[in-house]
Amino acid sequence: MRNPISTYRIQFHKDFTFTDFERIIPYLDKLGIKTIYASPIFEAVPGSVHGYDGVNPQRINPEIGTDEQLRYIHQLLAQRSIDWLQDIVPNHMAFHPANGWLMDVLEKGPLSIYGTFFDIDWTSPHHHGRLMVPFLGEPLDEVLQKGELTVAYQNQRFVLTYFDTAYPIHLRSYVTILQSADQYPSEQLQVWLAQVSELEGITDPTTYALHSTALQVKLDEWSRQPATKSYLTNCLNTVNKNSGQLKRITDEQVYRLCFYGETDSRINYRRFFTVNSLICLNIQHQNVFDHVHHYTKNLLETGVFQGLRVDHIDGLYDPSQYLERLRRLAGDDAYLIVEKILKDDEDLPANWPIQGATGYGFLSIVNNLLTRTSSQQSFTRFYQELVGERKVVRKELYDKKAYILFQHMGGELDNLFHLFSELQLASEEQLAALPDNTLKEAIGEFLIQCPVYRYYGNRMPLDSSEADAVRRIFDRIRTSKSRLTPAIDLLENVLLTRPKAGDIAHNDHALRFYQRCMQFTGPLMAKGVEDTLMYTYTRFIGHDEVGDSPLYFGLTVDEFHQKMIDRQAKWPLALNATSTHDTKRGEDVRSRLNVLTDLADEWIDEVRIWQKLNRPLKSSIPISESVSSEEESTFIDSPDPNDEYFIYQTLVGAYPMPDQDGEDFPNRLDEYLEKALREAKRYSSHDTPNAAYEDATKSFAHELLDTNRPFWKRFDAFYRQIADLGIINSLIQVVLKCTCPGLPDVYQGCEGWDLSMVDPDNRRPVDFEQRYQALDALLEHDPDWQELWQSRYNGQIKLRLVYTLLQERQQNPSLFAEGQYAPLMIEGRYKEQVLAFARHDTQHWYVVAIPLGIARLCRDQQTAPTTIDWGDTYILLPDEAPKRWKHRLTKASGTVETKIRVTDVFTDLPLCVLALTSV
């Protein structure tokens, strides 16, 4: 099995292309990167900044480069023994005119050769066999009345145009259009129109495609003739002046142009989360799988790709089946990982033929290790005092998921209810016995109360552990909403009681309904938690993070060790991520925020002072402008206490390093706050922005940055203290990422300080030239850690640590991939403030130690983090460990019998990575 050793994530787009990437290959090689981890590179919507809105998986995105360039880059990388891990998107494509497959479906409907590719419900009783196209700014009648929708002739076909968007027209409407003029069509066109009418009798998609294309080509040839061109123009002018005629043409299509807001309550295609512009694929169909992965397979077989990262595995109908097919396609040696967010100690399915997940779980583990668990009560009590109510995070989580389901995914819920009926999973008598609407509500509760993103059972009956998990959900619903008990009893009977060996018909239908439900529990969790709760529950925003949870508040040393032992046993080649393109804030922001949990009392006292100082900066906004209240006569302060606290935490975490370039921080903060307020959906939202509240909140934040105000002097002193302690936490993250079980993953630019906020802020251009020069200077001058600490704010201390540890990984790849993880005991006065472990195989040993809760030690000893007196604190070694050690971060060395004195290894920095040898 391939060992990537280390990965470096690159975000490709029109402003960072293959040509740009070629220039940085020598830098990444020198840094120690052994695998390039690329964002989606296949053709996407023009101007895409991320590539997840693909339109053609058979072609390289021309805004990025070409197939020839990619293969040349492969040669350059191969010369340096660097692999390529490619991010692929099997769940969805862009709902966009550039998506040729989808436009063919819009033109031909189920007769398109791509008719089964997209997850469309053609039989929905609400839509009469027509696919929703929800991209109008207003209802269709209003759009027609304003003259914003017209018919045009473009690229060999008639289209409906709406501003700069064009949708294809079915050939039956060509008859309508070409007979609309006040003159008869030519004999030539009359024969052509008769041939169009004959298409109605064709039922084979391939035959239909050939004949329809031939007719379109023939018409296009004639359209160049002056007489025909004039006739076409006359027809178009006539149609576009007649709103009734336009309405008739829109009604003749296999799709229905409609207002985008309709999808909150009604929809007949599966979309990515609640994003109308991303339509999902039926990747579970073998022909769709083969077609989507055809080019990817070629790039694997020719050695251009050595691994694949699967985006949004939870969206697929049957993830296990998909991964088995992908493994067969990619081969046994390919490195395969999935994007997967785990909840509540959930583990990846052990039967998946992959190397693990993309690293959100590791991010959460480290983030919680650096959070002081004992501060949870103080933070919670202060937060409840701050917001004036007793916010219970589990209740908040339920409420946000319920809001998303009923306000934005009502169509999806309605479809599940109708699917249950269509599959005849219950008798008419059973359904009639239920109170009105309780079955649909019960299905909704099942989605809402699912505690994880989804379950993966792909056969009935479900295995015992999954069945027990589903049964617990049903029991919780009976307890919390007893009136739904009859409907829940029916669901339990259908999904858990009736399925048994031999009842093939019921099992197949029950499984289809169950797996369909599972395709929506993930989006509900993501939208309710990641995109709502994480912006509203601000008790401690350091855990409002993808892969982490607002429910969490710390991890004990013993728990951390056990998680690493499990990780080594089950997923030794999974990614160790600390920042990604999807994280809510950069890794070094979280590192600073974690310091606050070490200084809970000081932090809370400081916030109270800030609130008093900044009260005059608030504006009073009519609550009638709020999206969350029905009252019209009262006013709210902007920002309210919850959002104000969010701003203070953001400033402490994300403000640029002392005395460094501000990176246009005020404008970046503006954009971030606007997105955060809209994601929170409390006073503003993406659908109904509240400019008054947003502007007042931004103005408040800008006033905080005024260095002449009293607040700034207090903030500056506090934040500088936190920044230094946060740097230590950041370096701890690097050490753990590079030495714990798993592979270190560096998100682009994060070998330097990463004080980013959520996207698009975390996708800002990276100055690779500056980093290359800095690395060259480090290697040429070889400064010691004391010197690097003195200039710590420029980020070179982190760059040096990343470089040093990646070299260790290169020199000992099998040890870090296969070696044991062994927790080490600590004794002495500060035994609670040190964590240590060994990584070893039969020949080599490493000992790693890091400090915990260093902020309190600095406060108690009134000293800097680099000069702490560790006293009689020791790291105990097992008897079989070698007795000589050499510090891999410094030039220190020594011998040991049974224990290592922490003072001897926490010298220039309170970090140690020791190589143990017997000679």
Side-chain angles (χ1 to χ4, degrees):
M1 181 59 61
R2 185 176 296 273
N3 175 6
I5 302 177
S6 60
T7 60
Y8 192 97
R9 172 72 176 200
I10 294 289
Q11 295 294 121
F12 285 106
H13 47 81
K14 64 183 178 62
D15 296 318
F16 190 86
T17 67
F18 285 166
T19 300
D20 298 310
F21 175 72
E22 282 183 42
R23 299 190 188 103
I24 69 169
I25 291 175
Y27 163 68
L28 297 177
D29 183 32
K30 183 174 287 189
L31 183 63
I33 297 301
K34 301 309 296 177
T35 299
I36 301 306
Y37 172 18
S39 67
I41 61 172
F42 301 121
E43 186 174 7
V45 168
S48 174
V49 296
H50 49 71
Y52 291 100
D53 46 2
V55 297
N56 184 1
Q58 309 282 24
R59 182 190 184 203
I60 298 298
N61 188 343
E63 294 184 345
I64 292 173
T66 66
D67 177 89
E68 290 76 15
Q69 276 186 291
L70 178 62
R71 294 178 190 276
Y72 176 67
I73 285 172
H74 162 60
Q75 295 175 8
L76 297 179
L77 294 175
Q79 293 169 8
R80 299 171 183 269
S81 299
I82 298 176
D83 287 346
W84 186 287
L85 169 63
Q86 182 57 53
D87 194 346
I88 61 172
V89 190
N91 180 66
H92 56 266
M93 294 176 70
F95 202 134
H96 189 275
N99 185 342
W101 299 356
L102 182 59
M103 292 304 106
D104 196 71
V105 174
L106 293 191
E107 182 179 82
K108 303 180 179 71
L111 272 179
S112 167
I113 58 175
Y114 304 105
T116 61
F117 275 44
F118 299 96
D119 200 343
I120 299 167
D121 183 3
W122 292 107
T123 63
S124 168
H126 295 305
H127 303 276
H128 310 291
R130 301 174 67 202
L131 171 63
M132 291 179 73
V133 179
F135 301 107
L136 300 182
E138 297 171 301
L140 177 60
D141 288 343
E142 295 178 30
V143 169
L144 288 170
Q145 187 176 3
K146 291 181 177 181
E148 294 173 344
L149 188 70
T150 59
V151 175
Y153 187 75
Q154 301 173 358
N155 302 319
Q156 297 188 353
R157 65 193 61 205
F158 285 114
V159 294
L160 285 165
T161 63
Y162 179 64
F163 293 101
D164 58 351
T165 304
Y167 299 106
I169 288 177
H170 195 283
L171 256 70
R172 60 174 164 250
S173 293
Y174 284 43
V175 178
T176 304
I177 296 168
L178 293 175
Q179 292 180 338
S180 64
D182 55 0
Q183 63 187 101
Y184 286 108
S186 67
E187 184 176 338
Q188 188 180 48
L189 276 179
Q190 290 183 49
V191 172
W192 187 91
L193 291 171
Q195 291 174 330
V196 169
S197 298
E198 292 172 1
L199 290 177
E200 297 295 331
I202 299 176
T203 58
D204 175 63
T206 302
T207 303
Y208 185 85
L210 290 172
H211 283 73
S212 61
T213 300
L215 287 170
Q216 287 170 327
V217 170
K218 188 177 294 185
L219 179 63
D220 188 63
E221 290 173 354
W222 294 341
S223 71
R224 298 185 181 92
Q225 300 171 4
T228 305
K229 183 176 182 180
S230 175
Y231 182 78
L232 288 180
T233 301
N234 190 11
C235 290
L236 290 174
N237 289 337
T238 301
V239 167
N240 289 326
K241 290 176 182 177
N242 188 329
S243 61
Q245 192 83 297
L246 281 170
K247 181 65 166 62
R248 176 186 172 186
I249 291 170
T250 62
D251 289 344
E252 289 175 342
Q253 305 315 306
V254 296
Y255 57 89
R256 183 173 66 87
L257 291 169
C258 60
F259 173 54
Y260 70 86
E262 281 193 34
T263 57
D264 285 344
S265 59
R266 186 172 292 179
I267 193 167
N268 66 338
Y269 67 92
R270 186 167 60 90
R271 51 189 171 159
F272 174 74
F273 294 177
T274 57
V275 182
N276 291 345
S277 59
L278 295 175
I279 184 170
C280 293
L281 291 159
N282 282 319
I283 205 72
Q284 70 272 18
H285 299 337
Q286 185 70 58
N287 67 315
V288 180
F289 177 93
D290 292 341
H291 208 69
V292 168
H293 294 88
H294 177 76
Y295 186 33
T296 300
K297 181 180 181 182
N298 174 268
L299 292 170
L300 284 162
E301 290 175 342
T302 54
V304 177
F305 295 164
Q306 286 73 43
L308 300 175
R309 179 259 199 198
V310 180
D311 181 63
H312 192 45
I313 189 68
D314 284 347
L316 308 189
Y317 181 75
D318 189 345
S320 300
Q321 174 206 67
Y322 171 82
L323 291 172
E324 289 165 4
R325 288 176 175 172
L326 190 67
R327 173 54 72 188
R328 288 195 294 271
L329 178 145
D332 293 338
D333 191 50
Y335 178 76
L336 300 182
I337 54 170
V338 297
E339 183 210 25
K340 169 62 188 167
I341 297 170
L342 301 165
K343 303 290 287 186
D344 298 332
D345 291 324
E346 175 191 15
D347 198 6
L348 283 174
N351 64 328
W352 281 1
I354 61 173
Q355 278 62 64
T358 53
Y360 293 123
F362 181 83
L363 180 156
S364 175
I365 292 169
V366 173
N367 199 29
N368 278 275
L369 176 68
L370 298 179
T371 299
R372 193 174 190 88
T373 306
S374 61
S375 294
Q376 180 173 4
Q377 187 175 359
S378 296
F379 270 73
T380 302
R381 186 169 53 245
F382 173 67
Y383 185 56
Q384 290 171 350
E385 169 194 320
L386 184 79
V387 298
E389 59 182 292
R390 184 176 178 82
K391 283 201 173 192
V392 179
V393 67
R394 291 190 183 275
K395 176 63 166 56
E396 289 280 306
L397 188 154
Y398 173 88
D399 290 345
K400 302 311 179 191
K401 291 175 71 176
Y403 170 81
I404 294 297
L405 180 63
F406 296 119
Q407 297 298 317
H408 297 287
M409 294 178 64
E412 283 84 353
L413 177 57
D414 206 38
N415 293 342
L416 288 171
F417 172 70
H418 286 291
L419 178 63
F420 187 94
S421 300
E422 290 169 15
L423 293 172
Q424 298 181 329
L425 290 168
S427 68
E428 292 184 7
E429 292 78 10
Q430 287 175 307
L431 294 174
L434 298 177
D436 289 345
N437 295 320
T438 55
L439 178 57
K440 185 198 290 192
E441 190 176 349
I443 294 170
E445 284 295 317
F446 178 48
L447 304 182
I448 294 167
Q449 297 212 29
C450 184
V452 293
Y453 276 71
R454 69 167 289 170
Y455 297 112
Y456 299 98
N458 59 2
R459 60 179 56 86
M460 287 284 175
L462 299 173
D463 68 48
S464 59
S465 61
E466 188 162 330
D468 287 344
V470 172
R471 191 171 287 109
R472 286 193 293 271
I473 297 173
F474 291 152
D475 288 342
R476 284 197 298 273
I477 298 171
R478 291 189 186 98
T479 300
S480 61
K481 297 201 171 184
S482 58
R483 64 184 178 80
L484 297 180
T485 295
I488 291 298
D489 289 345
L490 177 60
L491 287 177
E492 183 168 349
N493 180 59
V494 166
L495 296 177
L496 301 180
T497 305
R498 280 188 61 189
K500 55 183 180 293
D503 192 349
I504 297 175
H506 176 80
N507 289 355
D508 286 348
H509 286 187
L511 181 62
R512 183 179 169 193
F513 175 74
Y514 178 73
Q515 289 184 292
R516 197 59 163 170
C517 286
M518 290 299 102
Q519 286 186 282
F520 297 105
T521 53
L524 190 59
M525 180 76 81
K527 293 302 296 182
V529 179
E530 294 173 41
D531 294 342
T532 305
L533 182 64
M534 288 184 178
Y535 292 95
T536 63
Y537 190 81
T538 65
R539 175 186 65 173
F540 177 59
I541 65 173
H543 290 299
D544 291 341
E545 186 56 85
V546 181
D548 209 327
S549 171
L551 279 71
Y552 301 165
F553 206 99
L555 195 69
T556 68
V557 168
D558 288 343
E559 289 170 333
F560 175 84
H561 283 317
Q562 187 57 55
K563 288 181 180 296
M564 290 301 106
I565 291 170
D566 292 344
R567 189 173 178 83
Q568 179 59 39
K570 298 174 182 176
W571 308 107
L573 293 181
L575 292 190
N576 292 348
T578 44
S579 283
T580 77
H581 63 283
D582 275 337
T583 42
K584 301 297 182 185
R585 47 194 56 83
E587 59 191 55
D588 300 319
V589 176
R590 294 192 305 275
S591 293
R592 279 192 196 167
L593 292 172
N594 286 327
V595 175
L596 303 180
T597 67
D598 279 331
L599 303 172
D601 293 341
E602 292 94 324
W603 164 244
I604 292 169
D605 289 344
E606 196 66 33
V607 170
R608 287 190 172 118
I609 293 171
W610 293 351
Q611 287 177 298
K612 293 178 181 177
L613 289 173
N614 297 325
R615 191 169 295 135
L617 304 181
K618 294 193 174 192
S619 301
S620 187
I621 303 297
I623 204 167
S624 60
E625 298 185 28
S626 164
V627 298
S628 63
S629 175
E630 297 178 358
E631 299 181 36
E632 297 185 1
S633 58
T634 58
F635 290 75
I636 55 171
D637 284 339
S638 177
D640 77 350
N642 195 66
D643 292 335
E644 180 183 5
Y645 189 44
F646 179 87
I647 292 171
Y648 293 147
Q649 293 179 78
T650 298
L651 286 181
V652 169
Y655 196 78
M657 286 289 181
D659 309 318
Q660 300 298 298
D661 178 14
E663 297 183 279
D664 196 23
F665 184 77
N667 287 328
R668 289 171 49 216
L669 182 62
D670 264 1
E671 293 180 7
Y672 176 59
L673 290 177
E674 180 176 292
K675 179 169 183 174
L677 294 173
R678 293 180 183 182
E679 294 280 28
K681 307 169 191 68
R682 295 171 64 242
Y683 302 115
S684 190
S685 71
H686 292 291
D687 291 334
T688 55
N690 183 342
Y693 187 83
E694 290 177 3
D695 291 345
T697 300
K698 293 176 191 176
S699 176
F700 175 86
H702 272 268
E703 294 289 349
L704 299 184
L705 303 179
D706 185 345
T707 56
N708 295 317
R709 290 190 175 275
F711 163 77
W712 182 260
K713 293 180 181 179
R714 291 199 65 94
F715 169 78
D716 188 54
F718 184 82
Y719 127 87
R720 286 176 179 268
Q721 173 193 6
I722 300 301
D724 280 355
L725 296 164
I727 286 174
I728 298 297
N729 278 349
S730 298
L731 300 179
I732 289 171
Q733 277 192 130
V734 172
V735 169
L736 294 177
K737 176 163 68 175
C738 292
T739 60
C740 283
L743 307 176
D745 173 45
V746 181
Y747 180 66
Q748 60 177 29
C750 291
E751 63 273 28
W753 298 131
D754 176 24
L755 297 174
S756 301
M757 295 167 278
V758 76
D759 68 278
D761 192 62
N762 64 0
R763 301 175 189 179
R764 304 191 312 283
V766 177
D767 188 344
F768 285 107
E769 182 62 30
Q770 181 273 330
R771 282 165 173 74
Y772 202 174
Q773 292 175 3
L775 181 58
D776 280 346
L778 285 171
L779 298 182
E780 180 179 354
H781 300 294
D782 192 23
D784 60 28
W785 294 99
Q786 289 183 354
E787 184 178 345
L788 288 168
W789 178 258
Q790 293 302 313
S791 59
R792 56 194 175 276
Y793 302 135
N794 65 16
Q796 292 191 20
I797 190 170
K798 184 181 181 184
L799 177 64
R800 176 58 179 267
L801 185 60
V802 170
Y803 167 82
T804 301
L805 294 178
L806 290 182
Q807 305 310 307
E808 292 295 322
R809 297 280 310 205
Q810 281 193 55
Q811 293 169 22
N812 296 282
S814 61
L815 181 147
F816 286 106
E818 303 166 10
Q820 296 297 306
Y821 177 96
L824 299 179
M825 299 293 291
I826 310 296
E827 70 173 19
R829 180 176 180 183
Y830 296 117
K831 64 181 181 180
E832 303 298 328
Q833 274 73 53
V834 177
L835 178 148
F837 59 87
R839 298 298 311 279
H840 68 92
D841 55 22
T842 55
Q843 294 182 322
H844 303 94
W845 281 69
Y846 279 90
V847 166
V848 178
I850 56 147
L852 298 174
I854 197 169
R856 290 201 176 190
L857 284 178
C858 290
R859 182 195 60 186
D860 293 345
Q861 294 186 15
Q862 292 294 297
T863 191
T866 55
T867 55
I868 292 172
D869 179 5
W870 293 96
D872 63 349
T873 309
Y874 289 87
I875 304 168
L876 306 186
L877 298 183
D879 293 340
E880 65 272 24
K883 305 307 179 185
R884 298 183 62 84
W885 59 266
K886 185 174 182 180
H887 206 307
R888 305 307 297 168
L889 306 182
T890 70
K891 298 177 182 178
S893 61
T895 58
V896 60
E897 289 300 323
T898 60
K899 55 188 179 182
I900 299 175
R901 193 177 177 205
V902 170
T903 297
D904 292 340
V905 292
F906 281 4
T907 50
D908 296 342
L909 282 178
L911 304 167
C912 90
V913 178
L914 310 179
L916 303 187
T917 60
S918 55
V919 292

